Amino acid sequence: MLRKLLKHEFRATGRIMLPMYLILLVTAVGSNLAGRGMLDGRYHILNILGVLIVTAFGIAICGALLMSFVLMIQRFYKNLLQDEGYLMFTLPASVHQHIWSKLIVSSVWFIATVLAIIAASLVVAYQGGFLRELLDLLRYFLEGLRKLEVSEAFNGTIYLAEFAVLMFLSLVAFSLQFYAALAAGHSQANHKLLWSVVWFFGIQFALQFAGSLLIIGSNELDVFNRLFSHWDPSPTVAIHVALLMAIGCVIVYGAIFYAITTFFLKKHLNLE
C-alpha cells in the first residue's frame, strides 16, 4: 500500500514541482543570455530587460524552495487533517504508511529542488569553454579516485553513504517538526491552526530546554572526558564516529516528533 500512496503523492506533487523546475530552467537560460550582452549593452531597454530576466531567475529559485516547503505542509494538512482525511483513513493503509509516504515524497522534492537549483546555476554560469573546464575538473577528480588506496576508497564511499543518510534523516526530522505540530493542533475542537502554531513553539521550547539540561548535566558530570579519555582514534575513525553520532542524534530528535505525530493521528485526531 505504501507504494500506491507514494505513486499518488508523486503524481499530485509532480504537477506543481515539475513546471516549477521548467520555469527555473527557462529563466536560467534567459539569465545566461542576458549576461552575454544585454546587461552591458548600449541600449537602455536591453539593460532593463536583462535585469528583469536575472531578477526572474532569482524569484524562480525562491519560488522553487518555497513551493517544496509549502507542498510538504499542504499535502499533510489537506490529505490527513481536512475533509480528505475521512477518505484517506478508510484506505487499507496504516497511519505509519500515510506519514512515511508524505515524508519520503517531501524529502525527494527537497533534494530534487537543490539539484535543480545547482543545475540552473551551472546554466547561468555557462560560457564558452565552461563545459570543457567542467569536464577537465571531472577527469582530474576521477584520476584522483583511481590513485586512492583500497582502504581510502572504501572509507570515502562509507563517508558519502553516511552523509547521505544524515541528510535524508535531517529532511525527515525537519518535516516531522511541522507534522507533529499540525497533528497535535488538530486534536482541538476549535482554532486548530492557531493551536498548531502554539504546539510547534511549545515542542521546540521543551526540546531545547531538555537539550540544554542534558548538555549542562553532561558537562557537570564530565561524561565525554570519562568516555573518551583513554581513546585516541585515528582521523578516519573519528570522522566515522562523528557522522554516526550525528545520525543518532537526528534519529532521536525525529523519533520524538514521529511519536507525537502518530499518537495524535491515531488517538486524538479531530476532523470535525
Side-chain angles (χ1 to χ4, degrees):
M1 191 62 193
L2 179 60
R3 183 183 302 176
K4 293 182 179 179
L5 290 174
L6 288 173
K7 181 180 179 181
H8 173 73
E9 281 297 305
F10 277 118
R11 183 177 297 172
T13 53
R15 296 191 187 101
I16 299 174
M17 294 308 298
L18 294 180
M20 282 296 304
Y21 297 154
L22 180 60
I23 294 172
L24 189 62
L25 177 61
V26 171
T27 55
V29 173
S31 296
N32 180 279
L33 296 176
R36 290 173 180 267
M38 296 177 67
L39 295 176
D40 299 324
R42 293 180 299 174
Y43 301 101
H44 187 61
I45 186 65
L46 291 179
N47 295 337
I48 295 176
L49 182 59
V51 171
L52 291 176
I53 292 174
V54 173
T55 303
F57 175 64
I59 294 174
I61 291 177
C62 296
L65 290 171
L66 180 62
M67 186 56 65
S68 60
F69 174 76
V70 170
L71 270 183
M72 177 266 291
I73 296 177
Q74 188 259 354
R75 292 298 300 174
F76 182 85
Y77 174 71
K78 182 179 179 181
N79 285 165
L80 301 182
L81 303 179
Q82 288 194 307
D83 293 340
E84 288 186 21
Y86 289 106
L87 175 62
M88 296 299 292
F89 286 114
T90 60
L91 297 175
S94 65
V95 170
H96 299 287
Q97 289 175 323
H98 283 298
I99 294 174
W100 275 106
S101 67
K102 300 293 187 291
L103 290 174
I104 293 172
V105 172
S106 296
S107 299
V108 168
W109 285 125
F110 280 134
I111 295 170
T113 299
V114 172
L115 294 177
I117 291 173
I118 293 173
S121 300
L122 291 176
V123 170
V124 173
Y126 176 79
Q127 298 291 338
F130 176 79
L131 183 60
R132 184 177 64 254
E133 293 176 359
L134 186 62
L135 292 175
D136 289 340
L137 181 62
L138 179 61
R139 186 176 68 254
Y140 294 145
F141 176 74
L142 294 176
E143 290 177 354
L145 289 179
R146 294 193 194 100
K147 296 178 182 178
L148 292 176
E149 296 181 359
V150 175
S151 61
E152 293 174 335
F154 176 77
N155 281 306
T157 303
I158 299 300
Y159 289 152
L160 291 176
E162 290 169 347
F163 183 75
V165 171
L166 177 60
M167 290 299 99
F168 175 76
L169 291 177
S170 298
L171 290 173
V172 168
F174 174 76
S175 301
L176 281 169
Q177 296 179 75
F178 298 94
Y179 292 172
L182 286 170
H186 281 71
S187 65
Q188 305 297 318
N190 300 304
H191 309 295
K192 298 179 180 181
L193 287 177
L194 178 60
W195 275 109
S196 295
V197 174
V198 173
W199 269 97
F200 179 83
F201 288 105
I203 295 172
Q204 294 289 340
F205 175 79
L207 287 178
Q208 291 181 16
F209 182 73
S212 299
L213 291 180
L214 183 62
I215 293 174
I216 294 173
S218 299
N219 290 334
E220 291 292 332
L221 297 175
D222 204 18
V223 173
F224 291 103
N225 285 334
R226 291 182 181 181
L227 288 175
F228 301 110
S229 59
H230 301 293
W231 185 51
D232 186 20
S234 65
T236 300
V237 174
I239 295 174
H240 283 303
V241 172
L243 286 171
L244 291 175
M245 289 181 65
I247 290 173
C249 291
V250 172
I251 289 175
V252 172
Y253 185 74
I256 295 172
F257 291 107
Y258 187 84
I260 295 172
T261 304
T262 54
F263 173 77
F264 279 100
L265 288 182
K266 285 182 176 181
K267 304 295 185 181
H268 297 285
L269 181 61
N270 185 356
L271 293 175
E272 295 181 359

